[in-house]
Amino acid sequence: MDYMKKSSYKFDLPEELIAQTPVEPRDASRLMCLDRESGAISHRHFRDLPSLLRPGDLLVANDSRVLPARLYGQKEDTGATMEFLLLEQKEQKRWEVMVKPGRRAKVGTRFVFGDGLLRAEVLDVLEGGNRLVEFTCDGDIFSVLDQIGQMPLPPYITEKLQDKERYQTVYSHELGSAAAPTAGLHFTQELMGRLEKMGVRMAYVTLHVGLGTFRPVKEDNILEHKMHSEHYHLPRETADLINETKRRGGRVIAVGTTSCRTLESVATFAGEIKEAEGWTNIFIYPSYEFKVLDGLITNFHLPESTLIMLVSAFAGYDHVMDAYRTAVAEKYRFFSFGDAMLIL
């Protein structure tokens, strides 16, 4: 099997297995356990996590919080309906945005949102078609977004989300993501309390997930794929906990591919785990040698995506593709609101 070919990561996924709504409670989701050495698979629920971990283990999770970055408004002169998706803050009220329909968003065009709570003017058309936009509002733009913005759910979720908080992790803290770090959606405060009581600690990194996370791999030779860059921060407290855990012989388990990429980026760029902040476009695929991770909690990902390539690098291509075929046969729920996998 050629692990460098995109088509090697294809699998048949019935549309009805794409989760449209989250399960209640959060930790009632199913949990497939995969042994990365033997490829053995077992089936549990996420609430069983404490029985699958050991005292001294450290979970590292991404505390980024999703911005309610989808806005619906009107063109000021014609009243035509427009959709804005905020991608990246350039200055306090200056953002790179994706606009639909783009042809109506020429330089100088003005828009109004939320009955005038927020206004915008297009300053520039950027490479790739996105717009540079200046917003005006009373006070803090994030407060206004909280009032009138909607969650930027992935394109494969067509159901309306009833509760905005269900697309946030219970420990989300640092506002700035365009998509949720979804492996963390299964945690509840009660489950985290049980883990802490048994001696499993939690530490946090921040990686602001960009919309590029949904960008498909177009080239069949995956080495030609260009990853998007995302901003990360690994605090000193987390670095100290990771290094202490390693010294004591505990396992460092990343909650999600975003936490994984943050840890492996710092270890790669700095040569060690220490406090660090910057931008990463690390692309992890089979043949990559992991420097930090001993375990991974992750959801079930899209066929031919960079995320399934990362998981294959960690657990072995054959084991992962077998696990995905099993997940389809056992009717696991896929993608953002779907079930989880624990790889140890």
Side-chain angles (χ1 to χ4, degrees), residues 152-167:
L153 293 179
Y156 46 74
I157 294 177
T158 54
E159 295 266 336
K160 189 166 169 56
L161 184 63
Q162 299 304 317
D163 174 10
K164 275 190 200 177
E165 281 302 309
R166 282 306 269 110
Y167 195 56

Side-chain angles (χ1 to χ4, degrees), residues 63-243:
D63 65 4
S64 184
R65 189 165 172 80
V66 185
L67 196 65
R70 181 166 274 131
L71 292 166
Y72 293 97
Q74 290 75 42
K75 202 170 166 213
E76 204 172 65
D77 54 356
T78 66
T81 300
M82 301 292 292
E83 179 186 342
F84 274 36
L85 192 58
L86 279 64
L87 299 177
E88 189 184 325
Q89 189 177 25
K90 301 294 189 182
E91 294 172 32
Q92 192 176 11
K93 289 182 180 174
R94 194 168 283 193
W95 289 72
E96 179 179 344
V97 301
M98 190 185 294
V99 182
K100 286 185 190 172
R103 65 182 184 280
R104 291 184 182 155
K106 295 180 172 62
V107 173
T109 313
R110 296 169 184 270
F111 302 91
V112 61
F113 305 90
D115 296 327
L117 280 176
L118 187 65
R119 294 179 183 275
E121 181 180 348
V122 178
L123 302 181
D124 196 7
V125 179
L126 305 175
E127 189 181 345
N130 292 339
R131 268 46 175 186
L132 183 66
V133 166
E134 180 92 49
F135 288 101
T136 52
C137 60
D138 290 335
D140 178 17
I141 188 171
F142 293 109
S143 303
V144 176
L145 288 173
D146 252 349
Q147 289 179 65
I148 65 174
Q150 294 187 21
M151 281 299 171
L153 293 179
Y156 46 74
I157 294 177
T158 54
E159 295 266 336
K160 189 166 169 56
L161 184 63
Q162 299 304 317
D163 174 10
K164 275 190 200 177
E165 281 302 309
R166 282 306 269 110
Y167 195 56
Q168 306 278 17
T169 62
V170 296
Y171 48 74
S172 64
H173 182 65
E174 299 292 335
L175 196 62
S177 274
T182 55
L185 294 177
H186 309 280
F187 284 87
T188 64
Q189 294 290 359
E190 188 269 339
L191 178 62
M192 290 164 65
R194 285 167 54 210
L195 288 165
E196 186 181 7
K197 202 172 281 186
M198 66 165 283
V200 173
R201 289 189 289 185
M202 285 195 79
Y204 299 96
V205 295
T206 304
L207 181 136
H208 290 317
V209 188
L211 275 184
T213 194
F214 301 120
R215 187 172 152 238
V217 178
K218 291 181 178 164
E219 305 80 2
D220 198 40
N221 177 357
I222 67 172
L223 297 179
E224 294 173 10
H225 178 71
K226 296 285 185 287
M227 290 287 283
H228 58 289
S229 285
E230 294 167 315
H231 190 263
Y232 70 86
H233 177 224
L234 194 157
R236 179 182 296 176
E237 182 184 0
T238 297
D240 291 346
L241 276 169
I242 291 168
N243 290 324

